């Protein structure tokens, strides 16, 4: 192995046993690249032998070797042995990357310039940062590495991760409190070092090479793993196993409770790729407390969207089954799920027209959807989010479909905030009914991340070794209790306030633990979000207020209509600002939606409680005036739901009250046509209340 770079450099300090793993022998034979080089995977066993020039260390190590099998092992000798191994590995790294010998006085080289003891001069970077902060300065480039030979490595543009690793290995020789305690971030053993080396090998872009996640407008950004579920391995296995059972032809239910922001939706969404891979379909709906849409409408809408997802190969089979299942009743299906007509136009022409007076009640809606699901040949995952806002009618439909014994294959997933429901909530009635119907169900609750998983998450975001991040993780955990969404907002708050910053010289994120602990940082995520929103322009805040009035999402056409009015002409600019700020996103169906319930809640809180009814009314009136004389089929609910908040103002205007009564009448009829009787009832009652006595 003499041709392996680095071995000769440390032969005097370490004895190496180098082997190629047996399972890899021969795999790479004959696979040389165009330059004649061959990559190999090697296993290296390190056995230290202390340098001869350090007789004291040699004697200590020898004493340890003699007594290592004795019950009364000398702890100090073990510590000295481990420190020696760390020092020798630092030598290996330094000479391997610089091609120069490590100075024998690497730690003492700087001592001639100052009379301060090494442990005073070589405090951890975070402590230097605190000192800089206390003096009023926070210029990142002014704080370099503290060991001269490490500064030399940095000048050679060696990755900062290697520089930091080498420095922490050398720091194991320095101790505080009379030699009893290692310096902060110094390696305790090669075992800890092995964990860091493992990260460099598995994810070099994140942990080895200097971070390049830089935006000209926003500077360096935290690099979270997109779609990564931290600390949810057990739950991910449970939901995956449940779907696998469903894909074999049996319906099942899965209930997930937890606080807002605990990652319920993300756990469900991780299953989407698996559902798609087996030819299944994912349909979803999110309930909310502000939207005027009744829960049953949301469930029907989800199944209506399923019609547009059905793939070409499945269409002939499903079309045949639908005709066999419905026969003369096919028109009822078209009325309930209009998208069936777009999917199977050849079937629509032969369907008998439904009389306008025919009304479908909740029971007939449930039975129609059940029959529709019997014709769908692939597994379907129905995800209903925030079912604490659902009612018994909507949940009864779910029970009817799941308890069907004739070939329906549906995986129902419902998430809810378990801290906002009582034991008599309809959710638990549904669970009991499923048990009586012998439908398999799983129920779990998500808590916050523990400190270990949270530390992994923060380590990934900062592209720093996990051991370096533990002190920051402890503070974040105390503030957020491990709630994933709160963690994201809290970290962003630290960054925006300059308490977490990227050091351009050391090429790593830095923070000041004492300052963060001492700052008045709220432990309420709504306060964090509200503070962030208050920093937006007037147009940005107006856009968020408008969206919040409609619930968790609003169609882009509505934003377009409002932007053409005098009162809301600036919300188009606010839209861009809200998107860039990460408050909202645009989905594939043309809706702008809040990224999280808490963001929606914070946006709605921008409107004071005493002014909310007037804000809703004014918003609806502006949209009503804009759409007057136009086809308002798409926006009729959106106008009526807002303007109805201002009944006290409507009643003062005789001309307006008749027009709004007619608007509510049209909305009620439209809801009846869609078999949504509860919504229809509310609009028709509103219309009646506005008519003159």
């Amino acid at each position: 192995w003499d041709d392996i770079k680095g071995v000769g450099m440390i032969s005097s300090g370490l004895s190496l046993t180098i082997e190629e793993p047996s399972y890899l022998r021969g795999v790479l034979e004959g696979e040389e690249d165009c330059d004649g080089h061959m990559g190999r995977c090697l296993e290296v066993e390190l056995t230290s032998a202390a340098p001869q020039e350090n007789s004291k260390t040699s004697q200590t190590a020898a004493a340890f070797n003699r007594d290592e099998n004795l019950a009364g092992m000398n702890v100090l000798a073990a510590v000295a042995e481990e420190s020696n191994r760390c020092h020798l590995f630092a030598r290996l790294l330094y000479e391997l990357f610089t091609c120069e010998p490590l100075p024998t006085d690497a730690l003492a080289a700087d001592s001639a310039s100052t009379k301060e003891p090494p442990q005073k001069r070589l405090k951890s970077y975070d402590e230097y940062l605190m000192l800089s902060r206390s003096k009023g300065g926070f210029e990142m480039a002014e704080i370099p590495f503290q060991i001269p030979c490490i500064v030399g490595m940095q000048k050679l543009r060696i990755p900062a991760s290697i520089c930091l690793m080498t420095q922490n290995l050398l720091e194991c020789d320095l101790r505080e409190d009379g030699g009893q305690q290692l310096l902060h971030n110094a390696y305790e053993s090669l075992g800890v070092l092995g964990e860091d080396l493992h990260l460099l090998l598995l994810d070099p872009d994140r942990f080895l090479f200097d971070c390049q996640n830089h935006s000209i407008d926003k500077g360096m950004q935290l690099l979270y793993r997109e779609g990564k579920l931290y600390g949810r391995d057990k739950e991910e296995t449970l939901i995956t196993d449940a779907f696998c059972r469903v894909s074999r032809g049996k319906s099942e239910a899965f209930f997930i409770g937890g606080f807002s922001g605990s990652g319920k939706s993300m756990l469900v969404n991780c299953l989407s790729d698996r559902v798609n891979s087996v030819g299944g379909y994912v349909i979803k709906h999110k309930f909310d407390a502000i939207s005027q849409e009744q829960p049953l409408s949301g469930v029907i809408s989800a199944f209506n969207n399923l019609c547009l997802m059905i793939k070409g190969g499945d269409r002939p089979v499903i079309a045949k089954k639908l005709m066999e299942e419905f026969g003369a009743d096919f028109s009822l299906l078209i009325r309930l799920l209009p998208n069936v007509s777009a999917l199977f136009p050849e079937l629509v022409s032969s369907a008998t027209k439904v009389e306008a007076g025919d009304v479908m009640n909740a029971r007939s809606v449930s039975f129609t959807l059940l029959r529709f699901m019997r014709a769908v040949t692939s597994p379907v995952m129905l995800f209903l989010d925030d079912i604490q806002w659902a009612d018994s009618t909507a949940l009864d439909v779910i029970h009817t479909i799941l308890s069907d014994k004739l070939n329906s294959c549906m995986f129902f997933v419902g998430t809810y905030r378990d801290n906002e429901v009582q034991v008599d909530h309809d959710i638990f009635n549904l669970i009991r009914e499923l048990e009586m119907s012998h439908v398999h169900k799983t129920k779990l609750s998500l808590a916050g991340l523990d400190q270990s998983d949270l530390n992994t998450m923060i380590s990934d975001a900062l592209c720093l070794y996990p051991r370096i991040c533990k002190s920051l993780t402890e503070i974040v955990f105390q503030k957020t209790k491990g709630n994933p969404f709160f963690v994201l907002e809290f970290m962003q708050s630290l960054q925006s306030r300059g308490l977490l910053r990227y050091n351009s010289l050391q090429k790593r994120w830095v923070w000041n633990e004492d300052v963060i602990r001492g700052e008045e940082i709220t432990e309420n995520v709504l306060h964090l979000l509200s503070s962030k929103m208050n920093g937006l322009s007037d147009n940005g805040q107006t856009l968020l207020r408008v969206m919040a009035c409609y619930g968790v999402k609003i169609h882009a056409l509505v934003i377009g209509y409002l932007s053409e009015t005098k009162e809301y002409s600036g919300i188009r600019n606010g839209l861009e600002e809200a998107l860039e700020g990460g408050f909202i996103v645009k989905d594939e169906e043309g809706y702008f939606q809040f990224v999280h319930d808490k963001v929606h809640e914070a946006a709605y809180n921008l409107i004071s409680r005493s002014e909310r009814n007037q804000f809703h009314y004014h918003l609806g009136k502006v949209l009503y005036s804009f759409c007057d004389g136009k086809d308002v089929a798409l926006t009729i609910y959106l106008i009526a739901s807002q303007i109805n908040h201002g009944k006290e103002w409507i009643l003062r205007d005789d001309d307006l009250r008749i027009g709004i009564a007619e608007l509510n009448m049209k909305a009620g009829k439209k809801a009846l046509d869609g078999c949504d009787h509860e919504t229809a009832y509310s609009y028709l009652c509103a219309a009646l209340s506005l008519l003159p006595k």
Side-chain angles (χ1 to χ4, degrees):
W1 304 104
D2 292 338
D3 59 336
I4 300 178
K5 188 176 181 180
V7 173
M9 300 176 184
I10 59 172
S11 58
S12 61
L14 289 175
S15 173
L16 284 77
T17 303
I18 305 178
E19 295 180 351
E20 186 170 20
S22 58
Y23 57 86
L24 287 178
R25 289 173 185 165
V27 173
L28 298 175
E29 290 182 4
E31 297 185 3
E32 296 186 1
D33 59 25
C34 57
D35 295 325
H37 299 295
M38 181 181 296
R40 309 304 288 253
C41 178
L42 305 175
E43 291 180 345
V44 181
E45 180 180 354
L46 302 167
T47 305
S48 66
Q52 294 181 358
E53 64 270 19
N54 191 336
S55 59
K56 182 176 180 180
T57 304
S58 177
Q59 293 172 2
T60 304
F64 170 65
N65 289 329
R66 287 194 302 270
D67 300 337
E68 61 181 350
N69 295 323
L70 300 178
M73 171 176 20
N74 189 323
V75 176
L76 292 178
V79 170
E81 168 73 2
E82 200 61 51
S83 295
N84 182 53
R85 288 162 62 87
C86 290
H87 182 89
L88 292 173
F89 201 92
R91 177 181 172 185
L92 167 63
L93 288 177
Y94 182 84
E95 297 184 1
L96 189 61
F97 280 92
T98 66
C99 297
E100 298 177 357
L102 178 70
T104 55
D105 55 350
L107 292 177
D110 195 39
S111 61
S113 61
T114 177
K115 297 181 179 180
E116 292 182 320
Q119 61 267 31
K120 180 71 174 179
R121 289 181 288 105
L122 293 174
K123 286 184 177 180
S124 68
Y125 181 78
D126 296 32
E127 293 175 85
Y128 274 99
L129 191 58
M130 180 179 67
L131 181 61
S132 174
R133 176 72 171 175
S134 66
K135 291 182 178 180
F138 207 110
E139 291 297 327
M140 297 177 290
E142 293 179 359
I143 309 174
F145 284 104
Q146 298 302 311
I147 301 178
C149 63
I150 305 301
V151 176
M153 293 178 69
Q154 186 185 26
K155 290 180 179 179
L156 293 174
R157 297 187 177 181
I158 295 170
S161 59
I162 300 298
C163 295
L164 181 61
M165 177 179 285
T166 307
Q167 174 171 300
N168 292 161
L169 284 167
L170 291 174
E171 286 177 334
C172 72
D173 285 342
L174 300 174
R175 295 181 175 273
E176 300 175 314
D177 300 332
Q180 298 300 314
Q181 185 176 349
L182 282 171
L183 286 179
H184 185 49
N185 292 339
Y187 281 105
E188 298 178 358
S189 67
L190 288 185
V192 178
L193 171 69
E195 297 174 1
D196 290 351
L197 290 172
H198 192 65
L199 288 175
L200 299 184
L201 177 65
L202 290 182
D203 196 349
D205 288 336
R206 184 179 299 272
F207 291 105
L208 174 57
F209 303 116
D210 294 336
C211 186
Q212 301 296 324
N213 188 33
H214 185 275
S215 169
I216 296 177
D217 298 329
K218 300 180 180 180
M220 193 64 69
Q221 300 298 302
L222 298 174
L223 194 64
Y224 294 103
R225 293 186 189 272
E226 186 175 354
K228 168 69 175 175
L229 279 174
Y230 294 92
R232 305 298 189 206
D233 293 342
K234 179 181 177 181
E235 292 83 358
E236 191 172 359
T237 299
L238 284 173
I239 195 171
T240 301
D241 290 347
F243 175 73
C244 289
R245 292 192 294 269
V246 171
S247 63
R248 292 194 288 267
K250 196 171 183 179
S251 295
E252 192 166 322
F254 202 95
F255 297 89
I256 307 173
F259 281 72
S260 177
S262 58
K264 302 183 295 293
S265 299
M266 193 170 181
L267 174 62
V268 180
N269 291 333
C270 77
L271 194 61
S272 296
D273 290 341
R274 183 175 292 273
V275 176
N276 293 330
S277 68
V278 298
Y281 304 101
V282 178
I283 55 178
K284 59 182 69 175
H285 179 73
K286 182 178 180 63
F287 300 108
D288 68 83
I290 295 179
S291 174
Q292 298 297 307
E293 181 183 50
Q294 294 299 320
L296 182 58
S297 296
V299 176
I300 295 173
S301 176
F303 283 101
N304 194 36
N305 290 336
L306 174 60
C307 299
L308 302 180
M309 298 179 186
I310 295 176
K311 302 176 179 65
D314 291 339
R315 291 186 181 186
V317 177
I318 294 178
K320 181 180 179 181
K321 286 191 174 185
L322 285 175
M323 287 304 298
E324 293 174 353
E325 180 67 41
F326 285 92
D329 295 334
F330 193 76
S331 55
L332 292 175
L333 176 63
I334 295 176
R335 180 177 178 182
L336 185 65
L337 305 177
N339 286 340
V340 170
S341 60
L343 185 60
F344 307 114
E346 67 280 4
L347 300 181
V348 177
S349 59
S350 61
T352 304
K353 184 177 180 180
V354 179
E355 295 297 328
D358 292 346
V359 177
M360 297 179 69
N361 57 29
R363 185 180 295 274
S364 60
V365 168
S366 298
F367 188 56
T368 302
L369 291 177
L370 180 149
R371 297 168 70 189
F372 171 72
M373 284 300 298
R374 288 175 179 173
V376 179
T377 55
S378 300
V380 175
M381 182 174 83
L382 171 61
F383 172 30
L384 297 183
D385 196 6
D386 282 335
I387 57 176
Q388 74 270 6
W389 304 118
D391 59 13
S392 59
T393 303
L395 297 182
D396 283 344
V397 172
I398 304 303
H399 173 255
T400 299
I401 298 174
L402 289 175
S403 57
D404 180 35
K405 305 300 181 183
L406 298 178
N407 299 323
S408 66
C409 183
M410 189 175 81
F411 183 41
F412 168 70
V413 182
T415 63
Y416 62 98
R417 302 179 191 176
D418 52 12
N419 61 309
E420 297 183 14
V421 294
Q422 304 298 323
V423 293
D424 59 347
H425 194 279
D426 292 324
I427 295 173
F428 304 113
N429 292 333
L430 172 60
I431 293 176
R432 286 190 291 269
E433 290 174 356
L434 291 175
E435 289 176 343
M436 290 187 291
S437 301
H438 304 289
V439 176
H440 193 282
K441 57 87 182 162
T442 304
K443 179 174 173 285
L444 58 85
S445 180
L446 297 185
L449 302 179
D450 61 30
Q451 285 201 48
S452 176
D453 293 320
L454 179 58
N455 191 58
T456 301
M457 177 181 176
I458 292 177
S459 168
D460 286 347
L462 302 181
C463 303
L464 275 174
Y465 303 125
R467 62 184 177 82
I468 302 290
C469 302
K470 285 184 178 180
S471 57
L472 177 61
T473 297
E474 180 183 350
I475 301 173
V476 175
F477 183 80
Q478 290 173 353
K479 294 289 187 179
T480 66
K481 304 302 185 288
N483 183 286
F485 179 73
F486 195 177
V487 169
L488 296 177
E489 292 301 320
F490 185 77
M491 292 289 288
Q492 191 172 43
S493 173
L494 293 180
Q495 183 183 0
S496 64
R497 299 180 62 178
L499 301 178
L500 175 67
R501 298 180 66 172
Y502 188 79
N503 181 286
S504 58
L505 181 62
Q506 287 207 30
K507 295 182 172 55
R508 56 158 285 192
W509 289 91
V510 296
W511 58 91
N512 188 321
E513 299 163 21
D514 291 336
V515 173
I516 294 175
R517 284 194 178 96
E519 287 282 332
E520 289 292 334
I521 301 177
T522 178
E523 298 183 13
N524 187 322
V525 68
L526 284 178
H527 292 167
L528 283 179
L529 291 169
S530 296
S531 299
K532 185 177 175 183
M533 290 176 180
N534 288 331
L536 298 177
S537 67
D538 290 342
N539 288 333
Q541 293 186 44
T542 299
L543 181 277
L544 293 179
R545 291 189 186 100
V546 169
M547 285 190 59
C549 288
Y550 286 107
V552 295
K553 65 181 181 180
I554 186 173
H555 201 280
L557 286 177
V558 179
I559 298 293
Y561 294 156
L562 289 171
S563 66
E564 295 182 32
T565 66
K566 178 181 178 180
E567 295 84 349
Y568 297 102
S569 58
I571 65 171
R572 181 73 70 180
N573 294 330
L575 184 65
E576 297 299 324
E577 191 176 4
L579 286 168
E580 292 177 2
F583 298 106
I584 62 174
V585 293
K586 188 176 183 180
D587 65 17
E588 298 175 351
E589 299 176 2
Y591 284 89
F592 290 102
Q593 61 182 21
F594 289 102
V595 297
H596 195 272
D597 296 340
K598 286 297 183 183
V599 179
H600 170 231
E601 189 176 346
Y604 197 53
N605 286 343
L606 292 175
I607 312 171
S608 65
R609 292 183 179 276
S610 61
E611 298 177 352
R612 285 179 183 175
N613 282 337
Q614 188 172 8
F615 191 92
H616 280 283
Y617 168 69
H618 183 264
L619 176 60
K621 189 176 179 182
V622 169
L623 197 56
Y624 174 73
S625 299
F626 177 81
C627 295
D628 188 27
K630 302 182 179 67
D631 181 11
V632 295
L634 177 65
T635 59
I636 187 169
Y637 289 152
L638 302 178
I639 297 173
S641 65
Q642 299 302 310
I643 208 168
N644 286 345
H645 281 268
K647 185 177 179 179
E648 60 177 296
W649 295 285
I650 297 173
L651 292 175
R652 298 172 187 171
D653 188 332
D654 291 338
D655 294 333
L656 180 63
R657 67 190 292 180
I658 299 301
I660 302 304
E662 292 177 350
L663 177 71
N664 277 281
M665 185 68 70
K666 292 178 181 178
K669 289 181 178 179
K670 181 178 175 65
L672 276 178
D673 290 339
C675 306
D676 189 350
H677 304 107
E678 293 186 33
T679 301
Y681 179 77
S682 66
Y683 284 125
L684 293 174
C685 286
L688 185 62
S689 69
L690 294 175
L691 295 176
K693 300 296 183 182

